[in-house]
Amino acid sequence: MSLNALLAKALAQRSQLIADAKANNTDCYRVFHGTVEGVNGLNIDRYGNAWLIQTFHQSLTAEELSEISLILNKLDELCVIYNDRSNKNSRILNPLDKTVEAFATSEQVIHENGIQFCSKLRHEGQDPLLFLDMRIGREYVKANSKGKSVLNLFSYTCGIGTAAAVGGATKVTNVDFSSFALAAGRKNAELNQVESVCEFVQSDAFPAMRQLAGMKVGGRRNQKLPNYPKLSPTQFDLVFLDPPRFAKSPFGTVDLINDYQSLFKPAMLATKKGGTIVCCNNVAKVDRQAWFDALVRCVEKQGRSVTQYQWLDCHPDFPSFDGKHPLKIVAIALA
C-alpha cells in the first residue's frame, strides 16, 4: 500500500477520535503512528495550529513531504513542520524555509481537554514539549487529584503536574533536572492560572526521591556527589513516576529494563498509606505482567500492600500490534 493510501486509512480510522477531540477542546493528537500503521519511524501529529511530521529512520523525499502535506491540509489547513530526526542521535537535520522556521521556533498554545499547554516545535531540546501518548495519564491525574497533594517525578514540562493542579490538587511538586523543561512547566501553570499550587524543584530525581522518602542520599561507586536541593521527608497522596528508559548520574542509574525498583522504592515510600502511585514504563520488551509483579513484590518487602490497581491504556491514536502498547501505565493504591 502506498504512503498516501496508508495515511488516508489512518485518518479514516480516526474520524470519530478527531470529532471527539474537537468537542472536548483538544487540538493535539496523533494522526499517523507509522511503526504500527505501515511506515516504520514516521509519526505525524497535530499540535494546535500545526501538523508535525517526524521521521526517525529514513528521511522523506520532497515529493513524499508534498504529498503528505496535501492530504493533511485537506483535513485542516495548518502550518506543516517537518523534523527529520533520522540521524543516530535523533537531532533535527533539516532546515525549514524562513516563514515555517519562524512559526516552528515561536511559542504556541495547544489544548487538551480544555487545559492549555505551551508548545514550540523546534527548540533547544529534541522532543515536542508535550508527549501525546501520555494523554491518558494526564486525564487520570486530573480526575483523581481533587483535594490531594501530588508529587510529579521526572516531570519534564510538568504536563502531569498541570493536569493535577487544574483537577483541584492542593499542592503539586514537580521534580526534573532540566531548567528548560521546568521553565516550560511554569508557563503551563501560568497559562491555566494554577501557579500558586505548583512547586518546581530542579534536581536529580534520586536525591529528591530519597530525601522525600526519608532515605539516605547515596551515589554510584567512586562518584563524588554534586550539590542538590535539600528536601524534608514528605509523603504525598498521589505520586507519578515516569522515568526515561536509561540515564546515568552520580546519584544512580535509571534503567527501566533491569532496575526499575531503585526508582520505585523511594517513590513508593513517599506515597501515603491510602495513597496512589502511578508507574510508567515505556520499554517495549518489558513484559507488562512481570513488571507489575516486581512492583508488588517491592511493595510487600516494605511491609505494605497493594489494595487495588488500574491499568491506563493509551488512546486509539496510538495503536499497537496486539493491544500491548510499549508504554505501560498502572495506578497502584497502597495500604
Side-chain angles (χ1 to χ4, degrees), residues 115 136-148 160 163-168 238 310:
I115 304 176
I136 186 66
R138 290 185 289 271
E139 289 173 346
Y140 175 87
V141 167
K142 181 185 175 187
N144 290 278
S145 291
K146 190 170 181 62
K148 294 179 180 176
I160 290 291
V166 171
L238 177 62
Q310 178 184 348

Side-chain angles (χ1 to χ4, degrees), residues 23-313:
N24 293 320
N25 193 7
T26 296
D27 57 14
C28 46
Y29 42 80
R30 178 151 293 182
V31 295
F32 189 73
H33 191 58
T35 301
V36 175
E37 295 184 285
V39 184
N40 199 23
L42 171 63
N43 294 335
I44 306 175
D45 300 307
R46 178 169 182 174
Y47 276 92
N49 292 322
W51 296 113
L52 175 65
I53 303 168
Q54 298 185 92
T55 46
F56 293 91
H57 299 317
Q58 190 173 329
S59 306
L60 293 173
T61 65
E63 184 182 2
E64 286 171 332
L65 181 58
S66 177
E67 288 173 354
I68 291 170
S69 301
L70 200 63
I71 293 171
L72 293 173
N73 281 326
K74 282 181 183 173
L75 182 65
D76 226 324
E77 203 159 327
L78 309 170
C79 183
V80 176
I81 295 167
Y82 173 39
N83 288 346
D84 182 7
R85 301 173 59 184
S86 56
N87 213 356
K88 275 191 296 186
N89 63 13
S90 192
R91 295 280 174 196
I92 296 167
L93 300 171
N94 59 310
L96 300 171
D97 73 41
K98 284 185 178 178
T99 306
V100 177
E101 174 82 23
F103 183 95
T105 55
S106 67
E107 283 189 4
Q108 309 290 323
V109 176
I110 60 178
H111 306 82
E112 183 184 85
N113 297 313
I115 304 176
Q116 299 182 78
F117 295 101
C118 62
S119 174
K120 190 188 281 189
L121 297 177
R122 284 204 174 181
H123 53 80
E124 65 183 62
Q126 299 172 86
D127 294 312
L129 298 184
L130 192 73
F131 289 115
L132 302 184
D133 57 350
M134 189 50 75
R135 185 186 320 125
I136 186 66
R138 290 185 289 271
E139 289 173 346
Y140 175 87
V141 167
K142 181 185 175 187
N144 290 278
S145 291
K146 190 170 181 62
K148 294 179 180 176
S149 57
V150 177
L151 174 61
N152 181 23
L153 296 162
F154 300 95
S155 66
Y156 190 44
T157 57
C158 311
I160 290 291
T162 304
V166 171
T170 54
K171 181 188 177 185
V172 178
T173 301
N174 299 287
V175 179
D176 200 272
F177 189 68
S178 167
S179 58
F180 167 78
L182 290 177
R186 284 190 181 90
K187 285 176 186 168
N188 287 335
E190 289 163 7
L191 280 170
N192 296 281
Q193 292 153 6
V194 292
E195 62 268 36
S196 63
V197 176
C198 296
E199 177 185 18
F200 304 89
V201 179
Q202 186 184 353
S203 174
D204 185 294
F206 277 107
M209 285 190 295
R210 293 179 75 86
Q211 289 178 94
L212 292 169
M215 298 170 69
K216 184 181 175 184
V217 174
R220 290 167 54 220
R221 189 178 299 171
N222 300 325
Q223 291 273 332
K224 184 183 177 185
L225 297 184
N227 292 330
Y228 54 89
K230 302 304 185 281
L231 303 171
S232 301
T234 309
Q235 287 190 313
F236 297 80
D237 298 303
L238 177 62
V239 173
F240 202 95
L241 179 62
D242 182 20
R245 178 187 176 119
F246 187 85
K248 275 187 177 181
S249 84
F251 297 98
T253 300
V254 175
D255 184 349
L256 302 200
I257 298 174
N258 300 305
D259 192 17
Y260 198 97
Q261 286 88 333
S262 67
L263 303 168
F264 178 70
K265 179 181 172 181
M268 181 259 295
L269 292 175
T271 309
K272 289 180 181 177
K273 286 187 177 181
T276 300
I277 182 167
V278 182
C279 300
C280 309
N281 192 319
N282 58 26
V283 180
K285 70 179 184 179
V286 170
D287 178 77
R288 186 168 103 149
Q289 191 60 45
W291 174 62
F292 177 72
D293 290 345
L295 297 181
V296 173
R297 284 196 300 272
C298 188
V299 170
E300 291 172 348
K301 274 184 184 176
Q302 298 307 311
R304 300 180 67 176
S305 60
V306 173
T307 56
Q308 59 184 38
Y309 63 92
Q310 178 184 348
W311 289 100
L312 308 179
D313 296 322

